[in-house]
Amino acid sequence: TAVGATALAAVVTPGASRAFWTGMLWHTQRVGSLSYVSNQSLMGLVARLDPVRPDRLGWGAAVVLVLGVWVYRGHRAAVAGDAETGFALAGTVACLVSPVTWVHHLVWLIPALVRLADGGLRADPGRRLAPLAAAIVAYTVLSSSVVWLWSQGPDALTHPAGVAGFLGGNAYVWVCLALLCGLPVRGQAADPPSPMWTAGGRAALVRHFT
């Protein structure tokens, strides 16, 4: 798909395609300042602590830790046959580990919010409040533009000051981390596993392909 779309663009607009692939692609500074508050990734968080010399070693360690959590939780979702949660976790971790995650890239959190709300609706009446409230709070924060209260402009090399600036200026990062760590996996408690992951389902799958 990617190759086909690229080839089609080259046919339709060869000049623009040539300019992009031979020049603009390699000018990474055109993306903007990593410390800009709209960059709600782990790299953005680290860069806002020191916009001049971001701690890339610290960022790398944070990325490795987050990827470890994702592998663990993704594996649990796969074993439980919960493909929806696995997909949602992949979208969430992508927002965190990408060096640049502009706020419109957080559209990849929508599957996690839907999964969280769905888990609450499927839960027993006494256990619905927490996941539904978490989904509503997360959606409200992500839709509030709250991080721009600490914006210093798109090219500013200053970072939000104080504890409030650190917490508020990275609000969407905290939401991503909470979803990565707390998104419930269906099939581990009340919900039955997908038929594909049962012994009979696996045997039928093997017979089908053999």
Side-chain angles (χ1 to χ4, degrees):
T1 301
V3 172
T6 302
L8 177 61
V11 171
V12 175
T13 56
S17 295
R18 182 167 50 254
F20 176 78
W21 290 105
T22 61
M24 298 301 293
L25 176 64
W26 315 108
H27 297 166
T28 55
Q29 70 275 10
R30 68 186 174 85
V31 174
S33 173
L34 291 174
S35 64
Y36 181 36
V37 75
S38 184
N39 182 14
Q40 290 289 305
S41 66
L42 292 172
M43 183 75 254
L45 184 153
V46 170
R48 281 186 286 277
L49 293 174
D50 187 355
V52 179
R53 294 183 179 84
D55 184 359
R56 295 186 180 273
L57 183 61
W59 170 67
V63 166
V64 170
L65 178 61
V66 164
L67 288 176
V69 174
W70 169 62
V71 168
Y72 170 73
R73 302 220 64 225
H75 174 71
R76 293 184 65 189
V79 170
D82 189 353
E84 293 86 356
T85 296
F87 177 79
L89 290 170
T92 302
V93 79
C95 293
L96 286 166
V97 302
S98 173
V100 177
T101 298
W102 299 136
V103 290
H104 57 272
H105 296 152
L106 297 177
V107 66
W108 285 104
L109 297 182
I110 291 177
L113 297 178
V114 171
R115 178 64 189 88
L116 187 59
D118 179 66
L121 293 173
R122 290 172 179 267
D124 296 332
R127 303 174 61 185
R128 288 179 180 172
L129 181 60
L132 287 175
I136 292 171
V137 169
Y139 179 80
T140 301
V141 171
L142 292 169
S143 304
S144 66
S145 301
V146 65
V147 295
W148 275 280
L149 293 176
W150 291 274
S151 173
Q152 305 294 326
D155 299 315
L157 289 180
T158 57
H159 60 279
V163 175
F166 178 71
L167 295 176
N170 298 298
Y172 302 162
V173 179
W174 309 133
V175 172
C176 290
L177 289 171
L179 289 172
L180 178 65
C181 296
L183 195 64
V185 175
R186 184 184 301 161
Q188 293 182 337
D191 294 335
S194 169
M196 185 181 72
W197 291 97
T198 63
R202 289 194 298 271
L205 193 64
V206 170
R207 288 195 299 272
H208 175 76
F209 286 103
T210 57

